[in-house]
């Protein structure tokens, strides 16, 4: 069943129950008051003037036993009056539709009221009043008026209940349809996205209510998914393009080797060719590893407390193990950041690898780490201000760097890791004016530490 039909039905049921309860209470209290009024009328007339002892004025109850019309004082009770005599006989005025008596009626010692029926089957209220000498006077009043009033009331109340429930159902249906209209639009958009797989389809839901919030959350979700898909697609396209060159040269070299094997003609530089193959295969492996790192989404990063001083020292140790002609000057304070230790170490290592790659043998690589900042300075040719921002793009390499090993993904990974930790990476003007100064700035415990490394300013942030 549709939600709006369900809401309409529930509204109608609730309203119907409420009206039914109110109607029942109204009906019962009206019935009670009408019967009380009738009883009062009956009791108000007791004792009847003709039954007043001891100096019974004429005519008295005995008149009832006389043939002919009753005397005047009894006239108003003529609707139903009977004298139940002690000897067991019953007198009533002629022409009166007398009450069907019950055995207990004759023994009434106090004034009692009960429901009953007349001989012709009409409902009546009966008052039984002892006259003192063993005789009991039964006076009755018709319940027909009360019953017809109650029947009328019943009809009205049932009609009101049904009408109220129908109105409530219609109002519920109308209201839910209005309220759920944005929901229907949202559902339509979601179904369209599911059908076409087009995450860029617009999701237009306005309003500040729950449905509006849901719509905005849904739009934000599809936006984030579209963004993630765009990035993944761009990465795959770039990767396919970048993998083609090393794969072509790998295939050419393997073809050369295979042809020499087939023809039996020895290759002059077979050893060098094999070395190159090894290097190319290694680079291809590195490229694939870097691509896998880049393909990770932000939420796949860990969120642990990471000691950055230790991370920097580890990265330096790893870089030093493959740097034979460089020395490292490390100035590392201990500070912590919430994040992924492995990714942060790779980030620092990429900066160190670049410093080693682009600076001359025998030079010093200066590494500094202080709350919120990691910087790596080298004594190489440096990087032109115009190239500083694009250097962090995927696969970007300066023309001079193309002859060196590398994929152009190292700094893209640095920028990605820094961004995933709420920070950023950039190149700064080195204080000495020589070489390159790569800087990563990260917020510590959710806030930025003031720049403590000389030469590193907010300018870096603006550049990115
Ligand atoms: P790769 O090092 O594999 O070429 P990166 O993304 O690490 O890729 O670097 C991109 C480019 O930025 C490099 O090709 C180089 O031109 C420039 N670059 C990076 N680090 C330095 C550095 N320390 N000194 C000079 N140029 C650098």
């Amino acid at each position: 069943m549709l939600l709006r039909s369900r809401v309409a039905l529930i509204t109608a049921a609730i309203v119907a129950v409420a009206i039914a309860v109110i109607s029942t209470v109204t009906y019962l209290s009206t019935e009670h008051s009408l019967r009380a009024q009738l009883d009062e009328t009956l009791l108000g007339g007791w004792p009847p003037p003709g039954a007043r002892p001891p100096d019974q004025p004429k005519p008295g109850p005995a008149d009832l036993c006389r043939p002919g019309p009753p005397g005047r004082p009894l006239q108003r009770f003529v609707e139903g009056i009977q004298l139940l005599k002690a000897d067991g006989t019953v007198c009533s005025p002629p022409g009166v539709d007398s009450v069907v008596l019950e055995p207990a009626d004759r023994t009434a010692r106090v004034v009692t009221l009960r429901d009953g029926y007349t001989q012709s089957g009409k409902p009546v209220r009966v008052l039984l009043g002892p006259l003192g000498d063993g005789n009991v006077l039964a006076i009755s009043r018709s319940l027909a008026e009360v019953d017809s009033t109650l029947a009328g009331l019943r009809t009205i109340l049932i009609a009101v209940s049904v009408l109220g429930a129908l109105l409530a159902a219609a109002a519920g249906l109308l209201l839910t349809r209005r309220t759920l209209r944005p929901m229907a639009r949202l559902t339509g958009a979601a179904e369209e996205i599911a059908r076409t797989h087009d995450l860029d389809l617009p999701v237009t839901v306005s309003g500040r209510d729950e449905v509006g919030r849901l719509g905005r959350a849904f739009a934000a979700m599809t936006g984030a998914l579209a963004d993630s898909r765009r990035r993944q697609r761009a990465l795959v396209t770039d990767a396919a393009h970048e993998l083609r060159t090393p794969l072509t040269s790998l295939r050419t070299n393997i073809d050369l080797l295979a042809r020499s094997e087939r023809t039996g003609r020895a290759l002059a530089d077979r050893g060098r060719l094999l070395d190159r193959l090894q290097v190319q295969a290694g680079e291809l492996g590195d490229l694939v590893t870097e691509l896998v790192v880049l393909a990770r989404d932000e939420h796949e990063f860990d969120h642990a407390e990471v000691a950055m001083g230790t991370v920097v020292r580890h990265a330096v140790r790893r870089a030093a193990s493959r740097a034979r002609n460089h020395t490292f000057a490390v100035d590392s304070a201990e500070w912590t950041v919430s994040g992924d230790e492995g990714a942060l170490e790779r980030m620092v290592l990429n900066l160190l690898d670049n410093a080693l790659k682009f600076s001359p043998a025998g030079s010093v690589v200066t590494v500094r780490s202080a709350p919120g900042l990691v910087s790596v300075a080298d004594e190489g040719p440096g990087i032109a201000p115009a190239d500083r921002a694009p250097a962090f793009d995927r696969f970007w390499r300066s023309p001079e760097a193309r002859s060196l090993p590398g994929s152009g993904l190292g700094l893209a990974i640095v920028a990605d890791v820094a961004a995933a930790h709420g920070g950023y990476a950039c190149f700064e003007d080195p204080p000495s004016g020589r070489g390159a100064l790569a800087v990563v700035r990260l917020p510590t415990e959710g806030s930025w530490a003031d720049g403590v490394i000389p030469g590193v300013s907010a300018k870096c942030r603006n550049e990115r």
Side-chain angles (χ1 to χ4, degrees):
M1 197 192 274
L2 286 176
L3 181 62
R4 58 168 179 260
S5 319
R6 218 155 48 207
V7 173
L9 215 73
I10 291 169
T11 318
I14 291 171
V15 171
V17 168
I19 296 179
V21 170
I22 295 169
S23 300
T24 311
V25 171
T26 310
Y27 180 84
L28 290 177
S29 71
T30 309
E31 185 188 29
H32 180 264
S33 82
L34 285 176
R35 290 177 76 97
Q37 263 174 30
L38 193 72
D39 287 356
E40 230 168 77
T41 317
L42 277 169
L43 288 168
W46 182 265
R52 205 173 297 139
D55 54 340
Q56 282 184 356
K58 289 280 177 184
D63 292 351
L64 295 169
C65 302
R66 274 207 318 236
R72 275 190 75 65
L74 294 174
Q75 199 80 57
R76 59 196 179 106
F77 300 111
V78 95
E79 195 177 342
I81 187 159
Q82 285 155 275
L83 180 66
L84 284 61
K85 290 176 46 178
D87 60 10
T89 57
V90 179
C91 300
S92 63
V96 166
D97 189 7
S98 56
V99 173
V100 177
L101 295 169
E102 289 174 4
D105 293 352
R106 293 174 185 286
T107 55
R109 294 285 166 262
V110 286
V111 177
T112 8
L113 287 159
R114 72 164 176 86
D115 284 348
Y117 287 93
T118 63
Q119 297 296 345
S120 66
K122 289 183 189 139
V124 283
R125 190 80 174 142
V126 185
L127 179 141
L128 296 155
L131 291 175
D133 49 5
N135 295 338
V136 173
L137 197 61
I139 306 166
S140 64
R141 282 259 160 175
S142 169
L143 277 171
E145 212 174 303
V146 172
D147 283 352
S148 88
T149 309
L150 288 176
L153 184 66
R154 230 176 5 243
T155 315
I156 291 171
L157 291 179
I158 289 171
V160 166
S161 300
V162 172
L163 210 74
L166 287 177
L167 273 175
L173 205 64
L174 222 76
L175 219 74
T176 39
R177 189 176 295 177
R178 257 182 82 102
T179 318
L180 293 180
R181 205 170 292 153
M183 193 83 132
R185 273 207 302 273
L186 188 61
T187 311
E191 282 169 352
E192 187 66 6
I193 289 172
R195 196 175 58 76
T196 57
H197 293 199
D198 182 0
L199 289 167
D200 293 320
L201 280 174
V203 181
T204 45
V205 176
S206 54
R208 306 178 64 183
D209 56 3
E210 288 85 344
V211 183
R213 253 182 74 193
L214 177 67
R216 278 191 294 280
F218 185 74
M221 183 193 75
T222 52
L225 279 177
D227 212 41
S228 168
R229 199 160 75 172
R230 250 191 304 277
R231 275 191 286 126
Q232 297 282 355
R233 203 170 282 165
L235 182 68
V236 170
T237 316
D238 291 351
H241 181 258
E242 291 302 315
L243 282 169
R244 204 162 289 144
T245 319
L247 274 175
T248 310
S249 83
L250 208 65
R251 188 161 344 119
T252 314
N253 289 336
I254 291 170
D255 281 352
L256 273 175
L257 275 175
R259 204 175 312 141
S260 117
E261 283 295 315
R262 258 199 320 274
T263 56
R265 214 176 320 137
L267 279 171
D269 51 357
R270 192 168 187 274
R272 261 188 51 216
L273 197 68
L274 280 171
D275 285 347
R276 224 169 41 226
L277 266 177
Q278 223 164 14
V279 171
Q280 281 170 341
E283 279 182 11
L284 214 59
D286 290 347
L287 178 60
V288 170
T289 312
E290 286 174 332
L291 281 172
V292 170
V293 173
L294 274 175
R296 277 211 301 186
D297 257 338
E298 224 165 85
H299 69 267
E300 290 172 57
F301 285 97
D302 258 3
H303 289 285
E305 198 73 355
V306 180
M308 279 307 286
T310 314
V311 164
V312 169
R313 279 195 299 279
H314 274 176
V316 169
R317 205 173 308 139
R318 280 176 66 183
S321 69
R322 44 190 191 239
R324 289 188 179 75
N325 304 314
H326 288 83
T327 33
F328 287 92
V330 184
D331 172 9
S332 169
E334 200 54 87
W335 55 288
T336 58
V337 71
S338 161
D340 188 311
E341 189 168 350
L344 288 165
E345 190 172 323
R346 169 169 287 277
M347 177 186 82
V348 180
L349 194 61
N350 283 3
L351 293 179
L352 295 174
D353 280 344
N354 278 353
L356 293 178
K357 193 159 64 179
F358 294 105
S359 63
S363 63
V364 180
V365 175
T366 311
V367 186
R368 285 182 180 138
S369 153
L373 286 160
V374 175
S375 77
V376 177
D378 63 44
E379 295 171 359
I383 181 158
D387 291 342
R388 287 178 184 176
F392 290 91
D393 291 343
R394 286 169 184 172
F395 302 111
W396 187 92
R397 308 184 75 193
S398 68
E400 307 82 60
R402 301 227 169 105
S403 56
L404 295 168
S407 59
L409 287 176
L411 288 179
I413 291 174
V414 171
D416 258 27
V417 174
H421 289 81
Y424 57 89
C426 61
F427 280 107
E428 263 293 299
D429 290 326
S432 63
R434 250 173 358 109
L437 172 63
V439 175
V440 171
R441 210 156 179 225
L442 299 174
T444 52
E445 285 155 19
S447 62
W448 293 98
D450 282 339
V452 284
I453 293 182
V456 178
S457 68
K459 186 174 150 252
C460 171
R461 187 176 203 179
N462 302 334
E463 265 179 23
R464 291 293 300 147

